[in-house]
Every structure is written in structure tokens, then in C-alpha cells.
Amino acid sequence: MRTIYLDYNATTPLDEGVREAMLQAEEAWGNPSSVHHLGQAARALLDDARDRAAVVLGCKPSELIFTSGGTESSNLAILGAARMRRDAGRHLITCGVEHHAVLHPCEYLAQNEGFDLTVLPVSNIGRVAVEAVAEAIRPDTVLVSIQAANNEVGTVQPVAEIGAFCAERGVLFHSDAVQWAGKLHMPSVDCFRADLVSLCAHKLHGPKGAGLLYCKSPLQLPPLLMGGAHENERRAGTENLPGIIGLVSALEKFVALPPFGGVEMEENICLLKTCINNIEGCTNISPSDSGDSLPNTASFIVEGSDSMALLSGFDLSGVCASSGSACSSGSITPSHVVEAMGFPSSLANALVRFSLGRETSRAEVEQVCEILPAVVSRCRL
Ligand SMILES: Cc1ncc(COP(=O)(O)O)c(C=O)c1O
């Protein structure tokens, strides 16, 4: 049985060129903080990597903090910004379709550190209105966090408008752009008009466990990880140099020329959405207008079924798909994203996400369309 991988929003295979660059970086195995020449060779590589990332992102090298990935970047942004500004106010704003890497630190601050949290509603395609953000901002609001693009259904948010509004009101703005990079045009990191932007490597053919937080100067966040003075005293711990080189190589290769998108992917997504909507009881819930959505994502809900049965059914046919939410102890919890979009939890528990990528062929998509009706009908309860 041939494997058809349609789970690129979960992770992507490592690019060959990126792998080569990482292997070369491993030769500079000294500790960048060591005084001797081996350490200094690693330090030079690290400094060079930061400069190169800054060129790709159109920012200053000092505005980049290398992290272990998207989760850490968003945790650092939210916990750091809120704690830094706590004397100015204790109100935070986010929206219901954020990744848990954003929602959970916001909830933690509300439950444990005296912050008040507003979770904004979204439309039936998962979009938050700029006006809703504007109305929710109060004199004591210190941080707004809205993602650039959604991982479960692919909805793109009006982040530049939200960021511009927050800047006018003197409120810090963070955006989780993990799903955006490599999929949509990013002329510079400032295209989000954000003070803080989370990125990671493994969604664009880079390694797992590597990411960065863009932190607009002169913001100086308090660290989450304490110890040494690494990353300009913003993140302690010996730097993961091969991971950082992998991240930077992936950014260089894929930010300006996104591997996701193009006419072929557009046609493949269109075909998948049509096949989905032709099956009774199946509804595509990714935005139908391509301007509102990631170019590679088609998510759908199936009446009278559940994600676990459906994903297992697809897997038995060789198709790797996802439900958006993580699986724990053999069960999948209803998608908070689908619930926030206004669907009942029975349907939020019956989500399937197909996310296409660079290696996805037309023949694979046609094969999935062929098996789709049978898999769905087998998995109805
Ligand atoms: C939107 C979004 N934010 C954050 C993350 C977490 O990133 P990482 O796996 O690098 O910690 C993911 C990964 O699924 C994501 O899709």
C-alpha cells in the first residue's frame, strides 16, 4: 500500500538542502559561549545565522530570539509581554481559534496571575473581526494575540489591520505566524504589523525543535528560561546550532518562494473540496474564498461519525490525515476551533483535515477522492 501524506500542517519532511546545511553546522560542535577557538567558530556560525535570518525577515538581528519552536515562541511572547506590562494593566485579548500554545498561556495568566482574559468570537469561517478587537480594547489592555493563519481549517486573519490598530492604541500585538511562513507571501516580518511574531522551522521543511520569536526593538521581554546570558539574556541555554542553521536555511529557501501554493495546489485543493461537498453529510469548513485561506488546507466535518474512526479509516487506506487536535490516550477531543466556529461538539468531534504539500501529486489527490466516499460510509456510526 502506498502512503499518501496529507498532513503538512502537522509537519513537513526535512528538505535535502536544509539537511546538508545542518550536517555542516554539526562540524562546528563547540559551545558558542566557550572562549577557545572551537567555541568561537560555533559563535561565528550562530552570529552569521542570526544576520541571515534578519535579512530574510527584514528586521534587525538583535530582534530575533532563537527558541525550540512555535510553542516556546508564543509562550515567551505572551507570558513575557504580559508580565513586563503588568503594572500598566492586566487585560489580555485573544480569539477562540488560537493554537493551544497561545490559549493556554493566556488562560494560565488569567487563572494564576490576576489577568483578565477576553477570548473573542469568530465567524463561521473562523475569522475574527477587526472591529471586535477594536471594541474589546480597554484602557488596561496590555496585549492582543491573534494568529496569522489557522492550523486546523486554514483561515487567514486580518492581522495587519489588527496590528495597525493596536499600535495606534499603544497595545502590544503578538501573532502566531507558524502556519503562514512558507505558505503565504511574507515580504518582511513587519507585514503583520506586530511587536512579537512566532515562527518555527518544521512547518516549512526545516527541523523539528527549532523556531524563533521576533521581538521588535526596543522591547526587552523577561526570559522564561533562566540561567546563562544566551540570546541577549532573553533565553538561557546552550544554543541548538544545527537546529538554528536548519531553521535559517529553511527560511532562506522558502519564505520568498513558498513551496505551498501555485496553480497545481490550487486545483488540487479545489478538487478535494468539491469531492468532499459531493458526499452527503460531509461539509468542507475551510474558507471557500482562496483569499481567506491557506492554499493547502481542506478540512471537513462528517455527520454521524467521529475523527478517530475517520482518521483510522483513512490510515488503513494509506492516507495520513489529521483532525487538528492532538490525540491523547487513544481518543481525540472535539476541536475547539470547530466549536468556536459555531458547530455543535458532535461535529467538532468529526473533523478531518487534509493539508497538502510540495510532494503532493495530482494522482494522489485523485486517489483520495476515489476512496473518500467509501471511507466515510464505513466510518459512520
Ligand atoms: C498555529 C500553530 N502554532 C503553534 C504551533 C506549535 O509549534 P511547534 O510544534 O513548533 O511547537 C503549531 C504546530 O502545530 C501551530 O500549527
Side-chain angles (χ1 to χ4, degrees), residues 5-25:
Y5 184 77
L6 296 187
D7 202 12
Y8 282 82
N9 285 8
T11 198
T12 58
L14 193 61
D15 177 78
E16 261 319 303
V18 172
R19 186 197 304 273
E20 289 283 309
M22 291 176 71
L23 286 172
Q24 268 175 28

Side-chain angles (χ1 to χ4, degrees), residues 185-308:
H185 188 50
M186 185 163 91
S188 82
V189 73
D190 197 42
C191 70
F192 306 117
R193 305 291 312 271
D195 303 286
L196 297 152
V197 177
S198 303
L199 294 175
C200 79
H202 73 102
K203 309 287 185 187
L204 68 161
H205 301 286
K208 289 151 190 73
L212 64 79
L213 178 68
Y214 161 76
C215 182
K216 191 175 187 156
S217 69
L219 266 184
Q220 183 71 13
L221 297 184
L224 289 186
L225 302 183
M226 288 171 249
H230 310 85
E231 295 298 300
N232 221 349
E233 302 192 351
R234 293 169 301 183
R235 198 247 186 202
T238 302
E239 299 85 352
N240 167 15
L241 197 51
I244 291 169
I245 296 294
L247 164 72
V248 174
S249 306
L251 292 174
E252 283 179 333
K253 280 189 97 158
F254 302 126
V255 164
L257 291 173
F260 297 85
V263 178
E264 198 187 333
M265 189 171 286
E266 200 178 311
E267 286 172 359
N268 285 340
I269 276 292
C270 197
L271 176 62
L272 265 180
K273 285 181 177 174
T274 309
C275 292
I276 289 163
N277 284 335
N278 280 342
I279 302 172
E280 213 194 308
C282 278
T283 314
N284 164 63
I285 59 164
S286 292
S288 42
D289 186 339
S290 61
D292 292 334
S293 181
L294 291 176
N296 72 324
T297 308
S299 297
F300 61 103
I301 44 181
V302 182
E303 275 170 39
S305 189
D306 72 52
S307 298
M308 200 58 176

Side-chain angles (χ1 to χ4, degrees), residues 42-297:
R43 162 67 53 193
L45 212 56
L46 178 63
D47 290 346
D48 183 54
R50 199 183 308 278
D51 290 347
R52 286 163 50 199
V55 169
V56 178
L57 299 175
C59 65
K60 297 179 198 153
S62 59
E63 292 178 313
L64 301 175
I65 306 170
F66 290 124
T67 67
S68 65
T71 301
E72 186 191 330
S73 297
S74 291
N75 272 245
L76 175 59
I78 290 161
L79 297 173
R83 287 169 182 165
M84 187 184 69
R85 288 276 167 102
R86 64 187 312 144
D87 290 339
R90 300 224 176 161
H91 180 229
L92 310 170
I93 299 173
T94 188
C95 75
V97 296
E98 294 292 321
H99 192 274
H100 285 140
V102 165
L103 283 175
H104 287 175
C106 287
E107 286 160 5
Y108 179 89
L109 288 165
Q111 280 157 19
N112 300 288
E113 298 189 19
F115 283 83
D116 192 12
L117 175 64
T118 299
V119 180
L120 294 172
V122 294
S123 71
N124 62 357
I125 60 158
R127 206 165 152 94
V128 67
V130 184
E131 301 73 41
V133 178
E135 276 166 27
I137 289 182
R138 316 189 308 213
D140 62 339
T141 306
V142 286
L143 177 70
V144 172
S145 180
I146 302 290
Q147 64 188 190
N150 184 264
N151 49 308
E152 294 195 19
V153 295
T155 308
V156 168
Q157 302 292 352
V159 271
E161 290 98 310
I162 294 170
F165 189 82
C166 289
E168 250 173 52
R169 300 289 299 268
V171 175
L172 290 177
F173 178 52
H174 164 250
S175 188
D176 171 355
V178 157
Q179 291 290 344
W180 180 292
K183 298 197 180 87
L184 292 168
H185 188 50
M186 185 163 91
S188 82
V189 73
D190 197 42
C191 70
F192 306 117
R193 305 291 312 271
D195 303 286
L196 297 152
V197 177
S198 303
L199 294 175
C200 79
H202 73 102
K203 309 287 185 187
L204 68 161
H205 301 286
K208 289 151 190 73
L212 64 79
L213 178 68
Y214 161 76
C215 182
K216 191 175 187 156
S217 69
L219 266 184
Q220 183 71 13
L221 297 184
L224 289 186
L225 302 183
M226 288 171 249
H230 310 85
E231 295 298 300
N232 221 349
E233 302 192 351
R234 293 169 301 183
R235 198 247 186 202
T238 302
E239 299 85 352
N240 167 15
L241 197 51
I244 291 169
I245 296 294
L247 164 72
V248 174
S249 306
L251 292 174
E252 283 179 333
K253 280 189 97 158
F254 302 126
V255 164
L257 291 173
F260 297 85
V263 178
E264 198 187 333
M265 189 171 286
E266 200 178 311
E267 286 172 359
N268 285 340
I269 276 292
C270 197
L271 176 62
L272 265 180
K273 285 181 177 174
T274 309
C275 292
I276 289 163
N277 284 335
N278 280 342
I279 302 172
E280 213 194 308
C282 278
T283 314
N284 164 63
I285 59 164
S286 292
S288 42
D289 186 339
S290 61
D292 292 334
S293 181
L294 291 176
N296 72 324
T297 308

